């Protein structure tokens, strides 16, 4: 049975590119690509995002920047200005908190809101959606797409469905009219392999899956089969989970040339640990899960993660974990990209181990002093011994 809930999913349109177009009127209506430097088609790295005008040329997020350049050399190519985008992101979150405290931010430009208990303050659920869009436009000058549905997954599909400048409401009564004709890969948890297996069973739409015998699905796909069947039938018990405003902090870098030079890789890893550690501390966060990402020549991408008992934002702890992960990771090809991510957060006031508290508070003081120097003299004023000048930075999420 589908519950009486009103979940809103908000997702900004072409977020980074829309901010740049807002700030530079000459770029409005133009193909704008935000990402690494295309260097006349020889650039490395990827597209972060692009304006809808650029999407008409087939450009999209995560595409190599050189391909984007080939598709539309006359596009406006801009670097990522994460500081500016984070500021806008915080403005948007503040607007959303005027509608409900039940907010689950996802990444920089997206959030789920549970307005079941608050929509009556603003009219109907749909009117609340309209008002959310209007307030975001007033505060930031930017356009959000909004989806409204009784379950999270459908709210997200709905916001995407209406893009750009969308407002799609899927009521409880219309849920299956909306959901069932959709292609099976729209369902959360259906990746390339599951999709292929489902297609082989003649299941192409979410509706096909919903009408299958759940026991048959369980036999083939285990608990995941049952889970997918529930989702296809509009049953998704997941609540909007309010929490700290980010799920992970990460930085990654693409080398100017694929490399097997251990010193170069090592110093980049240290540089990334410093970056992530600094961002965690300025957000007042500590995390327990540390993830290493490696992309090798040929674009294959691997991740390895470690979860430690004590949450941390200390650069040395991060670096030690990352080094271990790197050492235990066997691969032969040259490295194209490395990334460091910390997730599984607690607020940094938390202390689990009383014995460790003394040494931690000393290390904390050292970190604070480093942060203060950086604030005063700039990001590159102080580095660890291992770090060289910052490599070309592409993405922080
Ligand atoms: P998205 O919401 O996925 O994309 P978007 O807002 O640019 O476009 P739309 O939602 O209208 O389809 O991501 C939000 C921002 O995150 C995006 O503006 C740039 C950044 N981003 C990357 O840096 N790399 C990526 O691969 C993706 C998908 C997004
Ligand atoms: Mg978006």
């Amino acid at each position: 049975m589908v519950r009486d809930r009103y979940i809103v999913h908000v997702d900004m349109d072409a977020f980074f590119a829309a901010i740049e177009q807002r700030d530079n009127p000459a770029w409005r209506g133009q193909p704008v690509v935000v990402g690494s430097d295309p260097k006349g088609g020889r650039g490395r790295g990827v597209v972060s995002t692009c304006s809808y005008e650029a999407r008409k040329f087939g450009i999209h997020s995560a595409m190599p920047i050189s391909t984007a350049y080939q598709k539309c050399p006359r596009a406006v190519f801009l670097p990522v200005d994460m500081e500016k985008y984070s500021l806008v992101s915080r403005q948007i979150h503040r607007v959303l908190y005027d509608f409900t405290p039940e907010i689950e931010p996802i990444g920089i430009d997206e959030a789920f809101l549970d307005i079941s208990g608050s929509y009556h303050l603003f009219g109907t659920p749909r009117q609340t959606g309209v008002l959310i869009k209007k307030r975001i436009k007033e505060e930031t000058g930017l356009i959000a797409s909004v989806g409204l549905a009784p379950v999270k997954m459908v709210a997200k599909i709905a916001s995407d469905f209406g893009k750009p400048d969308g407002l799609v409401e899927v009521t409880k009564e219309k849920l299956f009219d909306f959901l069932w004709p959709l292609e099976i890969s729209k369902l959360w948890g259906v990746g390339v392999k599951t999709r292929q297996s489902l297609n082989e069973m003649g299941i192409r739409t979410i509706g096909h899956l919903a009408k299958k015998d759940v026991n048959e699905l369980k036999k083939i796909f285990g608990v995941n089969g049952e889970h997918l069947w529930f989702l296809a039938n509009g049953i998704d018990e997941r609540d909007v989970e309010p929490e700290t405003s980010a799920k992970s902090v990460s930085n990654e870098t693409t080398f100017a040339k694929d490399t097997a030079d251990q010193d170069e890789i090592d110093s980049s890893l240290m540089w990334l640990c410093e970056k992530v550690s600094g961002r965690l501390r300025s957000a007042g966060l500590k995390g327990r899960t540390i993830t290493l990402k490696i992309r090798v020549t040929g674009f294959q991408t691997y991740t390895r993660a470690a979860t430690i008992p004590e949450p941390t934002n200390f650069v040395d702890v991060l670096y030690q974990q990352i080094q271990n992960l790197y050492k235990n990771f066997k691969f032969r090809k040259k490295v194209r990209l490395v990334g460091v991510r910390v997730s599984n957060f607690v607020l940094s006031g938390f202390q689990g181990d009383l014995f460790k508290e003394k040494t931690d508070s000393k290390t904390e003081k050292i970190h604070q002093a480093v942060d203060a120097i950086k604030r005063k003299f700039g990001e590159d004023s102080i580095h660890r011994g291992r770090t060289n000048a910052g490599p070309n930075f592409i993405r922080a999420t």
Side-chain angles (χ1 to χ4, degrees), residues 199-215:
N199 283 350
E200 279 161 15
M201 293 166 67
I203 299 172
R204 300 204 165 268
T205 65
I206 297 179
H208 288 154
L209 183 70
K211 290 185 195 107
K212 275 272 166 201
D213 176 2
V214 65
N215 290 319

Side-chain angles (χ1 to χ4, degrees), residues 6 88 187 189 192 210 282 288 292 338 350:
Y6 297 96
V88 182
L187 211 57
V192 180
S282 61
R288 288 183 54 217
L292 167 71
V338 284
F350 175 87

